[in-house]
Amino acid sequence: EVQLVESGGGLVQPGGSLRLSCEGSGFTFSDYEMNWVRQAPGKGLEWVSYISTPGGTVFYADSLKGRFTISRDNAKNSLYLQMDSLRVDDSAVYFCATTRYGSGSPHFASWGQGTLVTVSS
Amino acid sequence: DIQMTQSPSSLSASVGDRVTITCRASQSISTYLNWYQQKPGKAPKLLIYAASTLQSGVPSRFRGSASGTDFTLTISSLQPEDFATYYCQQSYSTPITFGQGTRLEIK
C-alpha cells in the first residue's frame, strides 16, 4: 500500500524558513514523479511544485517567485520542500502527492495526510 | 495559466439524488481533467482521471464526461458518504490548476 507521510510543518515568523519532508513507503519511490499541493485554511487546493523521478526537472507555481525549492533523495525515499522568505499567505496545509499516468493523463493518485505551516508573528 | 471554473460553488441535495458538477477550462485541455473528493480534515482522494476513467475502488455511481472545454462529474444516486467538496484539476500544462471547489451538502 502506498503511504506518504509529511513532516516539518510548524509555526514560523514572516521572513523565516522551513523545510518540509515527505517520506514514501509501500512503492518504489524513485519510479514516481512527485508534487507538493497546499491548501490555505478554508480555501481550495493550490498546486505548488513538481519534480521528475531523477529530480532534474522541476516546476513551480508562478506565485512562489523563487522562494521555494523542491528536491528529492531517492535513496531515502524522500521528497523535500525548502521554503524561504515565508509570508503570512503561505500559511496552509501542505500535501505531497504522487503523479501517475492513465490514458495519457497525469493525475495525483496518492496523497499524504498533510503538514500544517503557520506563518505568523 | 489555464483557469478552471467550477459550478456551482455549493450544492444541497438529498440521499438518492442525482447531482451534476461542471468544470470549464479557459482553453482546450483535451481530456487532461481529473476529479477529486475531499472530506474535512482529510487529503483529497482521486475519483476520476482523464475526464472519464474511474479510479480503482471508486464506486460506479461516479461518472465523468467531457464536451470540448466543459467537463462534468455526475453522481447518480447520492450516498451519505458522498457529502464532501469536489475539485476538478487540469493536468494539460503547468502550472497545474484546480477549480475552486464545489461543496456538496445534505439538504
Side-chain angles (χ1 to χ4, degrees), chain B residues 31-49:
Chain B
T31 56
Y32 289 70
L33 189 284
N34 310 309
W35 290 99
Y36 299 86
Q37 176 194 67
Q38 187 180 33
K39 296 182 179 179
K42 301 294 186 182
K45 172 188 173 184
L46 176 68
L47 297 176
I48 288 169
Y49 61 89

Side-chain angles (χ1 to χ4, degrees), chain A residues 35 37 39 43-47 50 59-62 95 101-109 111-114, chain B residues 1 31-34 36 38 41-46 49-50 53 55 87 89 91 94-100:
Chain A
N35 301 268
V37 177
Q39 186 170 38
K43 302 298 184 182
L45 300 170
E46 178 186 18
W47 172 79
Y50 157 94
F59 297 112
Y60 298 96
D62 297 339
F95 299 98
Y101 291 83
S103 303
S105 174
H107 49 274
F108 295 174
W111 297 66
Q113 85 290 349
Chain B
D1 299 1
T31 56
Y32 289 70
L33 189 284
N34 310 309
Y36 299 86
Q38 187 180 33
K42 301 294 186 182
K45 172 188 173 184
L46 176 68
Y49 61 89
T53 303
Q55 170 71 346
Y87 295 92
Q89 174 208 42
S91 57
T94 56
I96 292 169
T97 46
F98 290 87
Q100 78 275 21

Side-chain angles (χ1 to χ4, degrees), chain A residues 1-5 23-28 32 98 100 109-111:
Chain A
E1 178 194 0
V2 172
Q3 223 178 358
L4 296 167
V5 179
E23 184 171 355
S25 60
F27 64 106
T28 304
Y32 286 70
T98 60
R100 297 298 304 274
S110 300
W111 297 66

Side-chain angles (χ1 to χ4, degrees), chain B residues 69-82:
Chain B
T69 58
D70 291 338
F71 300 86
T72 300
L73 173 68
T74 300
I75 310 172
S76 59
S77 178
L78 275 173
Q79 298 301 300
E81 61 268 28
D82 299 337

Side-chain angles (χ1 to χ4, degrees), chain A residues 1 4 10 15 27 30 43 46 66 70 72-73 96 100 104-105 109 116 118 120:
Chain A
E1 178 194 0
L4 296 167
F27 64 106
S30 58
K43 302 298 184 182
E46 178 186 18
I70 191 172
R72 65 190 298 161
D73 185 338
C96 61
R100 297 298 304 274
S105 174
L116 177 63
T118 303
S120 175

